[in-house]
Amino acid sequence: MTQDGIVGEIDTSRPHPARIYDYLLGGKDHYEVDEEAGERLVSVAPEARVSVRANRDFMRRAVRYVVGEGVRQILDIGTGLPTSPNVHEIAHEAAADVRVAYVDNDPIVKRHADALLSRTGETSIVLADLRDPRSVVDHPEVRRIIDFDEPVALLLVAILHFVTDAEKPAEIVATLRDALPDGSFLVLSHATGDLFERSDAQAVYNNATASMNLRSHAEVERLFDGFDLVDPGLTQVPFWRPDGPLPDEAASIGFYGGVGRK
């Protein structure tokens, strides 16, 4: 066990969602098994590559928005493998005093992030599991970075579709929401099957370390219970406050994204 209480073994025998995501983004922190899964995904869901890029662009715009609204603390759960610019880099472009706590349950993510971050500074990474949200908000390293008496931006970007219905994603979000003070924000994106039938894409993750659980617009919107969605509400990610030309494939991108304020 690691000091964070999560087994530190890296499983390279099965594809991992974070490494598949890294492959689709054109990164280098993945294995052959992840490349193979990524190629299978693209073969059955041709929009996959542009979707993950559009999702990342949504995250950048949303981070700039919440920092512009005065938030100086970000809790990013399910951060995935470091891909520059990272959340703290985006935030620091707008305000140098933003503090960021990254959380992931994958040891390889933590190892890569530890190489980039100083655990003694205002940005840190911890091993914890979103499916146990109290362990996240009560983690001493999270508490070192995040003051839960002041507004926090909670990032759940492209992570909840790896949580099954049996694991009660709405209850997970509610537990995290209740730990946040008024004036906090939720930045959330989620894959959907509303646009196309994507059972073949879901099947790519059957042998991965986490399954893919597509949800409808209504189901994703319910995850914002207790938050007021800011304009333009829950949309496909390219249409959330675009700051440049939309990709040609914008209408086919199967990710919803939104920002809510508590």
Side-chain angles (χ1 to χ4, degrees):
M1 301 288 284
T2 71
Q3 64 176 353
D4 297 283
I6 295 179
V7 176
E9 181 180 352
I10 297 171
D11 182 1
T12 61
S13 66
R14 294 190 295 162
H16 187 284
R19 299 195 304 257
I20 296 172
Y21 192 82
D22 176 77
Y23 173 69
L24 294 174
L25 284 172
K28 56 180 175 39
D29 297 312
H30 52 263
Y31 299 97
E32 184 175 355
V33 66
D34 308 302
E35 294 184 19
E36 292 171 353
E39 287 301 319
R40 289 198 303 276
L41 184 61
V42 170
S43 71
V44 297
E47 75 281 3
R49 277 198 173 91
V50 70
S51 290
V52 298
R53 290 170 185 155
N55 178 70
R56 189 153 187 86
D57 288 341
F58 158 75
M59 180 274 290
R60 293 172 185 168
R61 297 193 303 275
V63 167
R64 288 197 293 265
Y65 170 77
V66 297
V67 173
E69 289 295 301
V71 171
R72 292 297 180 266
Q73 314 183 92
I74 298 175
L75 177 58
D76 181 8
I77 305 178
T79 180
L81 288 158
T83 302
S84 187
N86 299 293
V87 168
H88 68 283
E89 293 170 329
I90 297 163
H92 288 164
E93 288 177 359
D97 58 340
V98 177
R99 304 186 301 279
V100 180
Y102 292 107
V103 178
D104 206 282
N105 70 346
D106 181 15
I108 196 171
V109 170
K110 185 173 184 299
R111 290 187 191 182
H112 280 274
D114 275 341
L116 298 174
L117 305 175
S118 168
R119 291 176 64 87
T120 60
E122 296 304 303
T123 302
S124 189
I125 174 102
V126 302
L127 274 174
D129 199 317
L130 172 64
R131 291 165 293 190
D132 183 5
R134 285 306 322 177
S135 75
V136 173
V137 297
D138 291 337
H139 195 290
E141 185 67 5
V142 169
R143 290 276 171 174
R144 184 180 72 82
I145 299 292
I146 303 295
D147 177 359
F148 286 96
D149 291 325
E150 298 293 332
V152 179
L154 168 64
L155 271 58
L156 298 174
V157 176
I159 182 64
L160 284 169
H161 47 243
F162 297 116
V163 176
T164 67
D165 288 345
E167 291 166 332
K168 302 180 178 179
E171 291 186 15
I172 289 171
V173 178
T175 298
L176 294 168
R177 178 200 66 213
D178 291 347
L180 304 177
D182 290 347
S184 294
F185 289 88
L186 170 63
V187 176
L188 185 151
S189 67
H190 197 296
T192 184
D194 282 355
L195 307 179
F196 306 102
E197 203 287 316
R198 282 292 177 250
S199 57
D200 288 346
Q202 287 179 278
V204 171
Y205 289 86
N206 287 349
N207 189 46
T209 57
S211 64
M212 171 67 77
N213 305 272
L214 303 178
R215 295 187 172 95
S216 69
H217 186 277
E219 289 172 317
V220 176
E221 194 168 54
R222 282 196 291 272
L223 298 172
F224 283 93
D225 284 353
F227 295 90
D228 294 323
L229 281 163
V230 303
D231 289 337
L234 182 67
T235 68
Q236 288 169 262
V237 288
F239 300 104
W240 195 89
R241 300 189 176 219
D243 56 4
L246 294 172
D248 293 339
E249 307 92 332
S252 68
I253 289 171
F255 275 86
Y256 290 127
V259 176
R261 183 169 191 158
K262 181 175 176 180

